[in-house]
Amino acid sequence: MPDNSCSFPSLISDEALGNPIPQTIEATFSRLPDSAIRVVRILEAGGFEAWFVGGFVRDALLGRTCSDIDIASSASWQQAQTLFEASGLRTHETGVAHGTLTILVGDEAFEVTTYRRDGSYSDSRHPSSVEFVSSIEEDLARRDFTINAIAFHPDRGLLDPYGGIGDLREKTIRAVGDPAKRFSEDALRILRACRFAAQLGFDIEESTLFGMLSNKGIVYRVSAERITHELDRLLAAPFAGSALVKYVDVLSCVLPELVAMKGFEQHTPYHIYDVLEHTAHVVDGVPPYRLARWAALFHDMGKPACFFFGENGVGHFYGHANVSVTIARGIMSRLKMSPAFANRVLALVKHHDEVVEPTPRAVKRMLTRLDGDVELFHALCDLKRGDARGQAPHCAGRIDAASELERILDDIQAANEAFTLKSLAIDGRDVMGLGIPRGPEVGAALSRALDAVIDERVPNEKDALLEYLVK
Ligand code: ATP
Ligand code: MG
């Protein structure tokens, strides 16, 4: 029987994470919804055993909110299904081949998985078979990291055969069992470890890290979609930058482009970090939404290739944004990201270091370069602010400069001023009415008209614009 009086709650004192400090196990698990407890009780009333497991237990101990609640049970999925349906609950056979049944209680969903042990792994990703087992201890043994191998029961308390609570306290990610074997079974775990490090601000334990490094050559067997999913979560995490720097030699298996950035000194008065460290600061320095984080990761990737020393010993990187675009395009295509998303990232990378003067005209010009996409303009300002945060302290004025651009944009929008072809007082038909034949010349004429409006040479009025175009 696990020790219910365990003093683990004191481990949750990480003020940096803003975590509350639960006083008791009851307080720690007070967020456990009644509906989840009902699921466990139904299984137990049917004569089976059930425990809360996985990320929910880990996150509750850390005082973090967790989206999915997983339950492990001695019942087979068919036995579980019979019990839940007899209790009037709906079930979905979401992963029954691996023993997983989803239970719906109102609009909440819980995954109940039969205790299992994974059979041999033939492809470094999927077990060729799963074997159902009778004890929770055996089930916990197949889990990836000690912090993910803790079970909790509302009456029996915590079950922690692998020292996961100690590792939570020590902020350590440690493989359950022999690391090299565990990573060779399932190479996705290598990326999960990096992602957890980024989410929790934990360090990866030495032999676990060695197991990851010695197996990084098989990560190519993981599908692009899964790699992207893990990288998305890593980049969005609060400690993304530090994970990038600390685990670059692991992440190089999916992002080999990082290697050239590592230790690449910039030799300019604007920078105090090497290219990778700078990039890490910029990733942390932009808000945690997907577009900004990926653009931050890519923005300076072209720098090592563009570097040269000027005569005075100062480093230059002319044209690096375009090289970063080329590299980023390759990575996003390899990672099977959607072209629509990739194009927006590329626009940010391309324009990240263009100087935009704090004038309505310059702001509108940049907006036209961004196809009038106001949201993208804000993302560009986020990137510029993040970039400044990763530069030498005397560049801090660039943070306010980017915010000033957004203020000017607000004024432009409030005044309904034109910055896209669509917002012009004339359209293609008007232009063709001037005798310009259908085709690229129509677009060119509209662009000329927009330039004139942005420059305030011509008002955005139909007659004035048509007169301007015939001149
Ligand atoms: P999050 O939900 O934040 O991703 P999690 O730890 O809950 O974190 P899930 O993918 O939901 O991750 O998996 C639930 C649990 O299943 C994990 O905590 C772990 O115990 C186990 N698990 C998941 N994926 C693996 C894997 N690839 N190898 C071994 N165990 C795994
Ligand atoms: Mg989970």
Side-chain angles (χ1 to χ4, degrees):
M1 185 69 66
D3 178 7
N4 222 350
S5 63
C6 163
S7 64
F8 74 88
S10 61
L11 79 99
I12 326 294
S13 57
D14 187 355
E15 282 164 30
L17 270 173
N19 288 331
I21 305 173
Q23 297 307 309
T24 61
I25 290 180
E26 291 71 36
T28 301
F29 288 97
S30 61
R31 269 177 273 186
L32 198 52
D34 290 344
S35 45
I37 294 178
R38 184 174 164 208
V39 169
V40 166
R41 297 289 182 222
I42 289 172
L43 287 162
E44 289 176 333
F48 301 99
E49 192 182 78
W51 293 81
F52 294 103
V53 286
F56 167 74
V57 179
R58 177 198 67 223
D59 289 340
L61 290 170
L62 288 172
R64 299 169 87 236
T65 44
C66 174
S67 50
D68 49 339
I69 297 184
D70 293 324
I71 294 161
S73 169
S74 57
S76 70
W77 70 265
Q78 294 94 334
Q79 290 166 325
Q81 189 171 48
T82 305
L83 288 172
F84 290 117
E85 291 187 351
S87 304
L89 296 180
R90 278 190 301 141
T91 63
H92 284 311
E93 296 175 14
T94 40
V96 290
H98 298 103
T100 301
L101 189 69
T102 299
I103 320 301
L104 295 171
V105 186
D107 52 9
E108 289 176 285
F110 302 99
E111 285 199 343
V112 173
T113 302
T114 309
Y115 296 160
R116 66 170 216 234
R117 170 166 56 208
D118 296 335
S120 63
Y121 285 72
S122 50
D123 62 352
S124 308
R125 181 59 200 104
H126 304 99
S128 320
S129 61
V130 298
E131 190 188 328
F132 297 114
V133 295
S134 57
S135 80
I136 180 72
E137 285 83 356
E138 280 178 280
D139 179 88
L140 295 176
R142 69 152 172 107
R143 295 175 182 272
D144 47 6
F145 305 111
T146 60
I147 59 170
N148 291 343
I150 309 168
F152 172 75
H153 186 277
D155 307 327
R156 297 188 293 270
L158 289 155
L159 181 64
D160 179 26
Y162 299 100
I165 292 171
D167 284 336
L168 284 176
R169 242 189 226 113
E170 301 290 322
K171 300 181 165 223
T172 298
I173 295 166
R174 183 192 310 270
V176 171
D178 171 21
K181 178 167 174 286
R182 302 310 310 285
F183 293 117
S184 69
E185 286 169 357
D186 180 359
L188 179 68
R189 292 173 188 153
I190 295 173
L191 299 179
R192 281 173 59 91
C194 296
R195 187 253 291 182
F196 286 124
Q199 288 179 321
L200 304 173
F202 284 20
D203 283 331
I204 300 173
E205 178 272 328
E206 210 181 306
S207 65
T208 302
L209 182 58
F210 185 72
M212 292 162 65
L213 288 166
S214 58
N215 281 289
K216 67 176 170 173
I218 54 171
V219 176
Y220 76 93
R221 295 186 190 154
V222 177
S223 73
E225 288 78 4
R226 279 194 174 266
I227 293 172
T228 304
H229 180 65
E230 290 302 325
L231 292 177
D232 275 341
R233 300 186 74 183
L234 184 156
L235 285 175
F239 303 93
S242 107
L244 282 172
V245 172
K246 277 197 265 185
Y247 303 118
V248 57
D249 293 335
V250 176
L251 293 167
S252 59
C253 65
V254 286
L255 291 170
E257 296 82 356
L258 296 176
V259 176
M261 300 157 74
K262 178 184 164 185
F264 198 96
E265 294 300 337
Q266 310 209 45
H267 302 280
T268 94
Y270 306 114
H271 286 283
I272 50 175
Y273 302 118
D274 70 33
V275 177
L276 182 64
E277 289 164 348
H278 164 71
T279 297
H281 278 90
V282 182
V283 167
D284 286 344
V286 298
Y289 60 93
R290 190 172 183 237
L291 176 65
R293 289 280 166 121
W294 278 100
L297 180 73
F298 292 144
H299 79 288
D300 275 354
M301 264 188 181
K303 272 190 166 176
C306 292
F307 180 81
F308 70 95
F309 274 119
E311 281 173 0
N312 49 6
V314 170
H316 297 292
F317 305 93
Y318 298 139
H320 76 272
N322 287 326
V323 178
S324 298
V325 164
T326 304
I327 298 172
R329 187 182 285 120
I331 293 174
M332 289 190 286
S333 136
R334 196 170 77 215
L335 292 177
K336 300 209 169 117
M337 294 187 182
S338 80
F341 176 74
N343 285 337
R344 299 184 90 222
V345 174
L346 294 177
L348 296 179
V349 174
K350 182 176 165 66
H351 298 299
H352 79 267
D353 69 338
E354 280 170 33
V355 176
V356 183
E357 296 296 336
T359 64
R361 192 179 143 189
V363 168
K364 284 189 265 186
R365 287 230 168 279
M366 179 51 83
L367 277 163
T368 60
R369 268 175 257 149
L370 300 175
D371 290 330
D373 187 335
V374 168
E375 200 186 303
L376 201 53
F377 188 94
H378 286 294
L380 183 65
C381 294
D382 280 332
L383 183 56
K384 283 178 171 293
R385 277 187 288 264
D387 204 0
R389 290 186 184 112
Q391 293 173 345
H394 67 85
C395 299
R398 295 179 181 183
I399 298 174
D400 289 343
S403 303
E404 174 65 7
L405 300 180
E406 290 183 307
R407 209 194 46 72
I408 296 170
L409 170 62
D410 288 346
D411 290 348
I412 292 168
Q413 286 187 286
N416 221 356
E417 289 178 34
F419 53 82
T420 60
L421 295 182
K422 253 184 157 161
S423 56
L424 276 179
I426 56 171
D427 60 15
R429 251 176 308 158
D430 298 318
V431 173
M432 287 188 280
L434 296 173
I436 295 178
R438 183 185 294 276
E441 281 172 60
V442 174
L446 286 171
S447 293
R448 216 150 42 84
L450 181 60
D451 280 347
V453 170
I454 289 175
D455 288 348
E456 295 182 2
R457 283 179 277 128
V458 182
N460 188 18
E461 290 162 11
K462 185 169 176 176
D463 290 346
L465 285 169
L466 292 177
E467 192 182 323
Y468 168 75
L469 287 178
V470 295
K471 261 203 283 187

